[in-house]
Amino acid sequence: MGLFSRRKTPTGPPQPFAFVVANVFSVPMRGVVFTGRVESGQVQPGQDAVLHLAGDERAVRVKSIDVRRRSAAAAGAGEEAGLYLDGITARDLPTVPGGDGSLIDSDAVAGTRLVSA
C-alpha cells in the first residue's frame, strides 16, 4: 500500500450503538451524566435509547454528549464520553449514604449498558 492510499470505508448497515457505563455523576444545572465507553456504533444527541439498569429498563433520549470535557456532535466506537440523558434523574438511580444526604451509587451503576432503541 502506498503512502496516499485510500482507507476502506465499511460497507453494509451501520451498527446500532452500545455504551457501557463506568461512572455516573449529578452535575448541577445540567443533570445526570453517565460516563463510559462507546462499544459499537455511534451515538448522537436526540437519539432514543434504552438504559438497562439492574432489573429495570428505562427508555431515555440522549440530550447531549461530552468528549474530552467538551460538547460533541457525536461519539463513536472506542471513544470515552459523557452522556446526558432525558428520561432519568438522580432519584431514579440507586443511592448510598454520604455527605449531608445520599449520593448516587456509582458502583451499582457501573457496567450498565445503554443501547439503541
Side-chain angles (χ1 to χ4, degrees), residues 16-97:
F17 89 88
F19 179 84
V20 177
V21 176
N23 213 334
V24 61
F25 304 96
S26 181
V27 180
M29 306 299 288
R30 288 197 70 191
V32 177
V33 61
F34 292 82
T35 62
R37 181 177 297 274
V38 180
E39 277 190 333
S40 64
Q42 183 177 23
V43 59
Q44 299 174 336
Q47 191 166 355
D48 292 325
V50 177
L51 182 64
H52 295 275
L53 293 168
D56 188 22
E57 288 185 356
R58 177 72 61 115
V60 295
R61 176 169 286 164
V62 178
K63 181 171 33 175
S64 64
I65 301 171
D66 287 351
V67 175
R68 294 182 205 95
R69 296 186 179 179
R70 300 221 188 288
S71 183
E79 284 189 287
E80 291 185 9
L83 304 180
Y84 291 88
L85 306 175
D86 279 332
I88 193 161
T89 66
R91 290 185 197 114
D92 299 322
L93 299 170
T95 59
V96 293

